Amino acid sequence: MKKTLLLDRIDAYLDKAGNPVYPDTYKPKPRIKPSDLGNPSLRRIFYSYLRVAPDKKLETKVKRIFDTGDAMHEMIRSWVKGTGTLIEYKDKDGNVPPDRWTGKPNPEFPVSVPELDIKEGKIDGIIKIDGKLWIGEFKSAKDSKFQPLDDAMDDHKIQANTYVHLFEFCLQRGDYAHIKELEGFTGVEGVVYLYIDKDNSELKEFVTLKSDSDLEEIVQKISAIKKAVADKKLPPCACEPKKWCPYYKKCCKNFNPIK
Ligand code: SF4
């Protein structure tokens, strides 16, 4: 096979970056990822909660797609920042804390609710418009998914509404008392979604008001996962197993990591 000057090296770099190797002594602790809660499959959330390794390692072509999404996400953030409506997270010393994975400053808002086993989540943006606060969700989609959109996607709505409630909980607990722009606020109005078309950079905006019914669904989902773990029972398969699911093979074999 023809050897390239850079492409092979980029592939090797992406392979390493996408599949970090942890020391044998590292035992990841169970945790709920807020971004998982929009997924309708309890089985998938169960695997993710227990930190089960995906069926196969991340392919470099998928890592490239993820990185493209992340880059577009950052681009939208910079555009929103340019409007003067974005509130960025800073620590008590006034510095934007470094991201745990990249080491670069990460101004996304951290949320943590150990009572729900949510150790850490990050909110894309907190936006202040006309004296009201909104959660900002920035998403990218390929053209075939972007064009038919006339509202935010259902799983994104559940995910974002989770962040609404987590943010309000942390706000009222005083986690952001050092952030001047949030002084006097106890809650948010809802969510502003910005979607970008990966093919042509077209933008769409959708707005949803916060909903308490989603909160009940979220709490029910978390309780169901914790009960399944306590009972050592694999949640039922909620759909025809999907090949794109990172746990597809394990799901087909009804693999239970804690039986
Ligand atoms: S294949 Fe489907 S049912 Fe199985 S874990 Fe994945 S999403 Fe859930």
Side-chain angles (χ1 to χ4, degrees):
M1 197 199 286
K2 186 175 169 248
K3 202 145 171 38
T4 65
L5 278 180
L6 271 179
L7 289 184
D8 295 333
R9 287 178 166 86
I10 290 175
D11 246 21
Y13 160 74
L14 290 173
D15 184 45
K16 214 170 152 188
N19 299 286
V21 179
Y22 299 107
D24 290 345
T25 47
Y26 176 66
K27 297 258 179 295
K29 293 200 177 113
R31 52 87 183 97
I32 294 283
K33 259 170 82 183
S35 55
D36 283 339
L37 290 169
N39 197 299
S41 168
L42 277 185
R43 186 175 285 196
R44 181 167 167 165
I45 304 173
F46 174 87
Y47 284 144
S48 174
Y49 174 77
L50 292 171
R51 318 290 291 267
V52 171
D55 291 337
K56 53 181 185 181
K57 61 185 209 166
L58 193 69
E59 292 175 63
T60 53
K61 68 175 181 192
V62 179
K63 172 78 175 136
R64 285 200 299 272
I65 293 169
F66 286 172
D67 283 0
T68 304
D70 288 348
M72 296 196 115
H73 188 280
E74 280 315 299
M75 187 170 71
I76 298 182
R77 161 185 294 287
S78 72
W79 292 344
V80 175
K81 188 174 176 180
T83 67
T85 60
L86 187 72
I87 302 176
E88 295 192 313
Y89 182 78
K90 296 191 179 76
D91 60 23
K92 289 187 177 138
D93 299 328
N95 301 314
V96 175
D99 185 90
R100 184 159 25 133
W101 304 109
T102 64
K104 293 182 191 160
N106 185 348
E108 294 177 325
F109 265 74
V111 285
S112 166
V113 183
E115 299 87 325
L116 293 176
D117 266 0
I118 295 175
K119 304 218 162 64
E120 189 190 63
K122 295 271 188 194
I123 296 176
D124 289 349
I126 300 298
I127 294 169
K128 190 156 128 184
I129 297 176
D130 297 334
K132 290 181 174 163
L133 286 185
W134 299 85
I135 298 287
E137 274 287 305
F138 312 143
K139 302 285 185 199
S140 56
K142 57 185 177 183
D143 190 63
S144 58
K145 288 209 165 170
F146 177 90
Q147 288 305 332
L149 283 180
D150 55 8
D151 194 4
M153 294 181 196
D154 285 346
D155 54 336
H156 292 166
K157 281 190 190 167
I158 297 179
Q159 180 190 333
N161 207 43
T162 308
Y163 284 128
V164 166
H165 295 293
L166 296 177
F167 176 77
E168 288 188 338
F169 180 86
C170 295
L171 180 67
Q172 290 162 20
R173 188 171 59 183
D175 291 12
Y176 315 126
H178 59 289
I179 305 208
K180 222 170 165 304
E181 296 99 313
L182 294 179
E183 258 175 32
F185 284 102
T186 56
V188 300
E189 301 300 306
V191 184
V192 185
Y193 303 84
L194 280 177
Y195 282 84
I196 188 164
D197 188 321
K198 280 185 184 168
D199 295 52
N200 58 25
S201 300
E202 191 183 331
L203 286 172
K204 284 186 184 177
E205 173 188 303
F206 306 112
V207 175
T208 55
L209 296 177
K210 73 177 164 190
S211 144
D212 286 339
S213 61
D214 281 350
L215 179 62
E216 282 162 33
E217 193 181 330
I218 292 157
V219 171
Q220 272 172 15
K221 267 189 179 170
I222 295 176
S223 310
I225 295 299
K226 293 183 94 167
K227 180 159 181 359
V229 172
D231 296 346
K232 301 190 174 180
K233 240 174 133 182
L234 186 67
C237 188
C239 59
E240 275 299 301
K242 307 269 193 306
K243 283 213 167 134
W244 46 255
C245 173
Y247 306 113
Y248 169 74
K249 284 190 186 157
K250 293 184 176 75
C251 180
C252 290
K253 290 183 189 154
N254 288 318
F255 169 71
N256 183 348
I258 48 172
K259 201 166 177 185

